[in-house]
Amino acid sequence: MNSVSVRALLVRGMVAGLIAGALALAVAYFLGESRVDAAIALEEAHSHDHGGEELVSRTVQSTAGLATGLLVFGVAIGGIAALVFCYALGRIGRFGPRATAALVAGAALLSVYVVPFLKYPANPPAVGDPDTIGRRTGLFFLMVALSVLLAVVAVILARRLAPRLGNWNATVAGAAAYVAVIGTAYAFLPSFNEVGPDFPATLLWEFRLATLAVQATLWVVFGLVFGHLTQRLLVPAADAVGAGGAPGRAAAVAG
């Protein structure tokens, strides 16, 4: 891909990420914030330390802070995913732009969030030991890095096995290798069970489902919007070249 097409895709990825972040923000506000408020109220009811003063008010955290975090995150992951798309298009099978965007988004949701989440799920306020928060955070990001690295290795393995095993069997083999190594990591990395007996199980479950819904919304919307934008950019270029159009547009499709 030439620099012009990469730049065009990068911009579209960031725009799609911004749109996805806005919709994820709505899900986070309407599904997640009420659970956070309930957890904070529960924490305050059991806390004997009421002398501290918040540096940032809860109102700002749940509005401007939440919006800034999700919108910036959406733009950032949109740009990164667009670069991954540039590499993947035409290299992972005979998939068009929309299908490739959907595959990239689905793989990102699985490897960046779902797999680490299953090992180290999100906790609301009042859950967890403050003394272990640094270790828990570090292990979560270690799990993210490991999952993404193994996903890349699984794709490379599947591509190398494809000439001998065929596309389907090679894909199954790559996925099996990924699951096997991730399962080993699950078994050997430390776990944390710091939910107190007084914390409502329903509230914990609803909070975790809300965080999962936010990430699912972010990546699903990104995949759909980015796929639509790339389809409009790249497919007409291919049609124009087939009809004797300008070769400069052909570079947008070649990868």
Side-chain angles (χ1 to χ4, degrees):
M1 247 182 219
N2 61 28
S3 59
V4 174
S5 61
V6 171
R7 184 164 56 249
L9 289 170
L10 180 62
V11 171
R12 283 160 175 78
M14 295 172 71
V15 170
L18 181 63
I19 295 171
L23 291 179
L25 171 62
V27 174
Y29 185 80
F30 289 109
L31 286 185
E33 287 305 304
S34 60
R35 277 76 183 182
V36 174
D37 288 337
I40 290 174
L42 187 67
E43 182 181 35
E44 291 176 347
H46 290 82
S47 176
H48 301 289
D49 183 13
H50 301 286
E53 183 177 346
E54 291 181 323
L55 296 177
V56 180
S57 70
R58 174 66 189 138
T59 301
V60 173
Q61 291 175 17
S62 62
T63 53
L66 181 65
T68 301
L70 276 175
L71 293 178
V72 170
F73 180 71
V75 172
I77 63 98
I80 294 171
L83 296 178
V84 174
F85 172 90
C86 291
Y87 175 80
L89 184 61
R91 291 187 173 94
I92 57 173
R94 292 187 171 183
F95 298 107
R98 273 194 298 243
T100 303
L103 287 172
V104 169
L109 173 62
L110 180 68
S111 61
V112 174
Y113 191 78
V114 173
V115 169
F117 174 87
L118 293 176
K119 177 64 177 177
Y120 300 112
N123 286 332
V127 171
D129 183 355
D131 294 335
T132 65
I133 188 170
R135 189 177 180 215
R136 284 186 280 123
T137 302
L139 286 170
F140 175 81
F141 283 109
L142 173 63
M143 197 71 219
V144 172
L146 182 62
S147 177
V148 171
L149 177 62
L150 290 175
V152 173
V153 171
V155 171
I156 294 173
L157 176 64
R159 287 190 61 198
R160 292 190 175 181
L161 292 176
R164 286 185 293 167
L165 302 181
N167 289 335
W168 175 257
N169 291 332
T171 301
V172 171
Y178 175 83
V179 171
V181 180
I182 285 293
T184 303
Y186 276 16
F188 283 96
L189 287 175
S191 300
F192 299 91
N193 185 16
E194 299 177 343
V195 181
D198 297 331
F199 194 89
T202 301
L203 178 58
L204 178 63
W205 176 247
E206 289 176 347
F207 174 83
R208 288 176 174 175
L209 281 182
T211 61
L212 185 59
V214 170
Q215 290 293 324
T217 300
L218 183 74
W219 286 108
V220 169
V221 172
F222 171 79
L224 293 174
V225 174
F226 185 61
H228 173 72
L229 295 177
T230 55
Q231 186 81 5
R232 291 186 61 185
L233 175 69
L234 299 179
V235 171
D239 293 341
V241 172
R249 293 296 302 275
V253 184

